[in-house]
């Protein structure tokens, strides 16, 4: 098992990455909807 | 780990705070799970009260109790509240309570974000419910929020958009927490393919949530800018396309259906082996079937829109891809039945709910296959057949699975056994009246009764009468559920640690009730 400190860093990185994916999907769909109208 | 941290942890054995602060500031997964479950029970009754208004109005032809505008508000709000306020938070509550205990973790990976995920919800629903008192009333254009109809809403419109954004943010944070917990905090030795099915189905559901909740958020953001900031995403007059909203909405909406049913599959996959006293048949096949269903859920969305018009190739693609979902779902149903085959079965309340789920969800699945057939859908679309279909999937499907889970794990949560006799009464009343309510709606739909109408032709009177009587009885039966849960929290026969003779898994190795902090030292899994 990973040490506590290593694991917290990995937990934080995973959470940030997943949050960024969600933001990218949000922005991506709005962008594509806008681009389709151009 | 530094010695300082160790020394601190040695003196860390405190229980919950006292009073309101415990619930406001809690970072404990069990407390937050309890909050989610109680909130969802409350919303279940609020949404249920709206269903009662709908069924009272439809009890006989003509306009009886409410005016049509209010009726439309009730159908819209009933859906929004039941989907986002009752079913989804109930599953998140179950995940909060059970996932750390099932994977051998001390808590969720991100406890403070967990608190925030929950506490957004009461505000989101306070905002949504407050629209009932605004000029123009609550949202009334259907939960699908199709433009241009939704843009004709009164003052409620921006509040609807804001509350949907809040629900989305809550769900995304909940999903991030679940994925991070499962990927990082499993007990040593618990590889992914040794993990129980409930965490597995939730892991896949959480990925679905992260992929599609932002899509809904994007769609409603664009509605907002169309209304207030001069854009024309969905306005034909400005060069936009209202049908594009429907595509975007259902790209979210169809995976959403699986968000509400995959955790139910996980629950049933826990309960059936326990009461059949056999290992789950085809564990790996169950995992792969869940993943297949999740994948397919992204490529079937336009089956909600056959009547809108699309090329023949589009119709064929979406029809066939939809029918493909029956394959992994069939694998699951087969495996549940095979698990019971030659098992030493007993029929306690959780098992009864799991069995009812198996039969009645399958009915909803079959009517879904009927709806997937394009020419047939041209007839069924927007009829009561659709209402019957999705209520079979959501009530004896998702809601029964939630109740099954509550009865199954309640002794572990409270340390008391619930009243089995009353539990069985609750099951039989629910199982009978759910069918009395929704089965006649198939006939109404096939006979041509449209959905979302407050009045109807007289030839639909008999089946509507039956459906309304069923709905009132089903509604009253649920008060029994609340009574059973509350009395179990307050007292009852002492539950053993293992609770059920056939139970397996880490959560049953803990005492009943489960201690406030569990698995502070990770268990070994072999």
């Amino acid at each position: 098992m990973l040490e506590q400190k290593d694991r917290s860093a990995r937990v934080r990185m995973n959470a940030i990455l997943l949050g960024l994916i969600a933001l990218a999907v949000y922005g991506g769909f709005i962008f594509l909807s806008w681009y389709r109208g151009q | 780990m530094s010695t300082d941290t160790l020394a601190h942890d040695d003196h860390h054995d405190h229980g919950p705070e006292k009073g309101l602060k415990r619930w406001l500031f809690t970072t404990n997964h069990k407390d937050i799970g309890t909050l989610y479950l109680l909130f969802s029970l409350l919303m279940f009754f609020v949404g249920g009260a709206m269903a009662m208004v709908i069924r009272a109005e439809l009890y006989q032809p003509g306009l009886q109790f409410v005016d049509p505008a209010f009726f439309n508000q009730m159908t819209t709000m009933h859906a929004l509240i039941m989907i986002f306020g009752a079913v989804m938070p109930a599953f998140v509550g179950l995940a909060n309570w059970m996932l750390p205990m099932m994977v051998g973790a001390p808590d969720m990976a991100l406890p403070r974000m967990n608190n925030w995920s929950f506490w957004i919800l009461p505000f989101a629903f306070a905002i949504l419910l407050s629209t009932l008192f605004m000029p123009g009333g609550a949202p009334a254009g259907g939960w699908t929020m199709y433009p241009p109809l939704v843009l004709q809403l009164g003052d409620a419109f921006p509040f609807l958009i804001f509350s949907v954004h809040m629900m989305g943010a809550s769900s995304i944070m909940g999903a991030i927490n679940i994925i991070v917990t499962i990927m990082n905090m499993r007990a040593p030795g618990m590889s992914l393919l040794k993990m129980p099915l409930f965490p597995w189905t939730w892991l896949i559901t959480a990925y679905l949530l992260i992929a599609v909740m932002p899509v809904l958020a994007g769609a409603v953001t664009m509605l907002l800018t169309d209304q207030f900031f001069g854009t024309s995403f969905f306005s034909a007059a400005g060069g936009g396309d209202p049908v594009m909203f429907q595509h975007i909405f259902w790209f979210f909406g169809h995976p959403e259906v699986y968000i509400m049913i995959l955790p139910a599959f996980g629950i049933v996959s826990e309960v059936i082996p326990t009461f059949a006293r056999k290992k789950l048949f085809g564990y790996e096949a169950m995992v792969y079937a869940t993943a297949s269903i999740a994948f397919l859920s992204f490529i079937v969305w336009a089956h909600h829109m056959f009547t809108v018009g699309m090329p023949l190739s589009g119709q064929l693609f979406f029809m066939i891809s939809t029918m493909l979902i029956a394959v992994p779902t069939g694998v699951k149903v087969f495996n549940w039945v095979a698990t019971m085959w030659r098992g030493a079965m007993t029929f306690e309340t959780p098992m009864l709910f799991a069995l009812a789920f198996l039969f009645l969800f399958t009915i909803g699945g079959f009517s879904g296959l009927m709806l997937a057939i394009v020419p047939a859908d041209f007839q069924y679309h927007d009829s009561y057949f659709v209402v019957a279909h999705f209520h079979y999937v959501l009530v004896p499907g998702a809601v029964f699975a939630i109740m099954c889970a509550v009865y199954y794990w309640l002794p572990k949560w409270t340390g008391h056994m619930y009243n089995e006799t009353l539990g069985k009464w609750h099951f039989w009343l629910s199982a009978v009246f759910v069918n009395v309510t929704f089965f006649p709606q198939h006939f109404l739909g096939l006979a041509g009764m449209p959905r979302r109408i407050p009045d109807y032709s007289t030839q639909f009177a008999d089946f509507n009468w039956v459906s309304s009587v069923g709905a009132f009885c089903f509604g009253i039966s649920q008060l029994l559920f609340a009574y059973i849960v509350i009395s179990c929290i307050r007292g009852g026969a002492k539950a053993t640690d293992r609770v059920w003779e056939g139970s397996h898994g880490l959560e049953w190795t803990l005492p009943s009730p489960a201690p406030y902090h569990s698995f502070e030292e990770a268990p070994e899994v072999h």
Side-chain angles (χ1 to χ4, degrees):
Chain A
M1 196 159 87
L2 287 168
E3 285 291 317
Q4 186 69 37
K5 212 172 143 191
D6 301 341
R7 204 160 57 162
S8 346
R10 205 169 80 172
V11 160
R12 205 173 303 121
M13 279 311 295
N14 283 187
I16 291 169
L17 190 65
L18 289 166
L20 287 175
I21 290 170
L23 276 175
V25 174
Y26 175 71
F29 264 77
I30 295 179
F31 172 77
L32 287 174
S33 304
W34 167 80
Y35 187 71
R36 186 170 176 265
Q38 295 307 298
Chain B
M1 195 186 284
S2 73
T3 20
D4 283 357
T5 325
L6 268 179
H8 177 74
D9 278 356
D10 284 347
H11 299 92
H12 200 68
D13 190 22
H14 59 74
E17 292 226 40
K18 296 278 174 269
L20 191 62
K21 271 173 79 176
R22 167 179 177 181
W23 302 105
L24 274 178
F25 302 124
T26 183
T27 52
N28 180 285
H29 73 101
K30 299 182 183 81
D31 280 354
I32 295 172
T34 304
L35 285 170
Y36 265 111
L37 287 168
L38 291 176
F39 177 78
S40 96
L41 186 65
L42 177 68
M43 287 296 121
F44 180 60
F45 282 109
V46 173
M50 291 172 177
M52 295 300 104
V53 173
I54 293 167
R55 282 320 316 173
E57 183 53 54
L58 295 174
Y59 181 76
Q60 57 183 31
L63 296 175
Q64 268 78 231
F65 298 104
V66 294
D67 68 59
F70 188 72
F71 182 91
N72 290 340
Q73 292 172 33
M74 287 294 101
T75 53
T76 304
M77 293 288 277
H78 165 73
L80 287 169
I81 287 170
M82 286 304 202
I83 293 167
F84 294 108
V87 173
M88 289 172 70
F91 282 128
V92 181
L94 292 168
N96 257 295
W97 248 105
M98 299 316 301
L99 290 192
M101 299 202 307
M102 292 175 98
V103 302
D107 204 311
M108 297 295 278
L110 304 147
R112 277 174 288 188
M113 195 171 82
N114 205 11
N115 174 295
W116 196 26
S117 302
F118 171 76
W119 277 109
I120 285 176
L121 279 184
F123 293 96
F125 283 89
I127 288 170
L128 184 65
L129 286 167
S130 72
T131 60
L132 281 163
F133 306 100
M134 289 177 185
W143 81 282
T144 49
M145 298 177 283
Y146 283 179
L149 186 61
V150 74
L151 303 176
Q152 294 168 24
L153 249 179
D155 290 358
F157 178 75
F159 294 89
L160 166 69
I161 302 299
F162 189 42
S163 70
V164 170
H165 274 128
M166 288 169 83
M167 295 165 203
S170 163
S171 292
I172 290 167
M173 287 194 292
I176 290 174
N177 217 337
I178 285 165
I179 293 173
V180 175
T181 304
I182 292 176
M183 298 314 280
N184 293 288
M185 304 200 32
R186 296 191 311 279
M190 184 177 281
S191 60
L192 278 174
L193 281 175
K194 279 186 188 160
M195 196 163 68
L197 248 291
F198 183 60
W200 248 120
T201 52
W202 240 119
L203 179 65
I204 293 167
T205 303
Y207 277 113
L208 285 184
L209 276 166
I210 288 181
V212 301
M213 287 311 287
V215 178
L216 174 69
V220 298
T221 302
M222 288 185 272
L223 283 179
L224 189 79
T225 60
D226 270 10
Q227 182 79 321
F228 294 116
F229 300 102
T231 59
S232 300
F233 286 108
F234 309 125
S235 156
D241 182 1
V243 175
M244 186 172 70
F245 178 87
Q246 298 186 23
H247 280 291
I248 298 171
F249 180 86
W250 286 113
F251 188 80
F252 144 79
H254 201 81
E256 170 68 16
V257 173
Y258 294 96
I259 287 164
M260 291 190 285
I261 208 66
L262 293 184
F265 288 168
I267 290 162
V268 171
S269 304
E270 300 291 333
V271 170
I272 288 181
T274 296
F275 295 98
R277 292 164 181 76
K278 270 178 69 190
K279 264 177 68 180
L280 183 70
F281 183 88
Y283 167 86
E284 286 194 26
M286 290 299 235
V287 172
Y288 297 134
T290 311
S292 310
I293 293 170
F295 168 73
L296 288 171
S297 77
F298 284 105
I299 55 165
V300 299
W301 77 89
H303 67 215
H304 295 270
M305 303 166 53
F306 284 142
T307 56
V308 171
M310 69 182 76
L312 185 63
S313 51
Q315 292 178 0
L316 280 172
F317 174 80
F318 286 109
M319 177 169 79
I320 292 166
S321 59
T322 303
M323 288 179 166
L324 269 179
I325 298 181
V327 177
T329 313
V331 168
K332 284 184 158 292
V333 172
F334 177 85
N335 283 0
W336 288 322
V337 174
T339 304
M340 290 186 283
W341 178 252
R342 294 190 155 180
M345 299 208 319
T346 51
F347 299 95
E348 288 86 343
T349 309
M351 182 60 159
L352 289 173
F353 272 103
L355 289 175
F357 171 94
L358 196 50
F359 282 99
L360 301 177
F361 173 79
T362 305
I363 292 178
F366 277 132
S367 57
L369 274 176
M370 293 169 71
L371 285 161
I373 303 165
V374 177
D377 184 73
F378 286 163
Q379 301 297 318
Y380 304 149
H381 185 86
D382 260 346
S383 77
Y384 250 81
F385 190 84
V386 178
V387 178
H389 156 69
F390 68 72
H391 278 95
Y392 260 89
V393 176
L394 287 175
V395 185
V399 173
F400 272 25
I402 292 163
M403 288 169 175
C404 167
V406 169
Y407 282 114
Y408 185 56
W409 284 311
L410 199 55
K412 178 55 64 188
W413 302 338
T414 63
H416 305 127
M417 294 306 288
Y418 61 87
N419 184 326
E420 186 64 48
T421 313
L422 284 182
K424 287 204 165 84
W425 266 101
H426 172 234
F427 166 75
W428 283 110
L429 289 169
S430 301
V432 169
F433 288 116
V434 83
N435 286 296
V436 176
T437 308
F438 296 116
F439 211 83
Q441 295 181 2
H442 290 111
F443 307 140
L444 287 168
L446 293 178
M449 178 170 159
R451 62 188 290 206
R452 294 169 172 161
I453 52 160
D455 189 10
Y456 49 81
S457 304
T458 46
Q459 73 267 28
F460 303 129
D462 289 349
F463 283 129
N464 268 300
W465 178 85
V466 174
S467 180
S468 288
V469 169
F472 300 143
C473 295
F474 182 82
I476 291 168
S477 309
Q478 302 321 308
L479 297 176
L480 188 56
F481 176 62
Y483 172 78
I484 295 167
V485 171
I486 292 165
S487 43
C488 182
I489 294 168
R490 292 164 69 99
K494 178 95 186 73
T496 59
D497 293 352
R498 200 162 164 206
V499 182
W500 311 108
E501 190 190 48
S503 54
H504 289 281
L506 288 177
E507 77 268 35
W508 307 108
T509 63
L510 291 165
S512 298
Y516 196 59
H517 298 288
S518 41
F519 295 127
E520 284 182 321
E521 290 201 10
E524 285 280 342
V525 178
H526 302 288

